[in-house]
Amino acid sequence: MEQSTRSSVPLGIDAMYLEFADMVYRLALLRTRSRQDAEDVLQEVFFRCLRRSPAFESFEHQRAWLLTATANCSKNLLASAFRRHTVGDAALLNLSKEDASGAELYELIAALPEKQKTAFHLHYAEGYSVAEIANLMHSKESTVKSWLFRARQTLQKSWKENEQL
């Protein structure tokens, strides 16, 4: 990740989309478990950014705002009455058949409880520190450490069970 080489100046909306769209989509996909829903969340997040025009203090503030908005939009979508009465997308990732173990791991991660899944994604996929995750998720650092520990334990146990099958 190139966080340290970034300037502290926030990006314009076009550059922001190019820079952060993949990150927003990945988090939305992990939380919603549906490509179509993840695309809807991606559009909603950037629409909110355009509509609200928040005053970003820095590049990192912009990134944190987008991650928080993605988590909130995903939660709203999952809580909607329509979503509660539909079935999720069976094809979670656009992976080749040769990458079956990656798809298995993704499914195991996607099955984690929401807070563990989000913390795990932010830490391992996006490179956020425990302190940054605690700030983003409005939690204590010790709580985030606990979520990460439990997520690793659950994944390790589930992975071993899948290998035995």
Side-chain angles (χ1 to χ4, degrees), residues 29-114:
L29 181 62
L30 184 66
R31 292 183 63 109
T32 64
R33 300 178 77 172
S34 164
R35 289 181 185 159
Q36 291 83 8
D37 289 341
E39 290 170 3
D40 289 346
V41 169
L42 173 68
Q43 290 178 8
E44 178 63 23
V45 166
F46 282 96
F47 178 69
R48 283 184 183 188
C49 187
L50 277 171
R51 187 178 41 195
R52 295 181 183 167
S53 300
F56 297 115
E57 298 168 7
S58 66
F59 179 83
E60 274 307 309
H61 180 227
Q62 203 169 32
R63 187 172 187 234
W65 187 93
L66 289 169
L67 286 169
T68 302
T70 302
N72 291 338
C73 287
S74 299
K75 185 173 21 171
N76 292 345
L77 179 74
L78 294 172
S80 71
F82 173 77
R83 178 72 167 126
R84 285 192 308 261
H85 300 301
T86 59
V87 178
D89 192 2
L92 294 175
L93 283 178
N94 188 16
L95 296 171
S96 65
K97 290 182 181 173
E98 297 83 41
D99 199 10
S101 63
E104 281 181 51
L105 179 60
Y106 183 84
E107 288 182 31
L108 294 175
I109 294 168
L112 291 170
E114 285 301 314

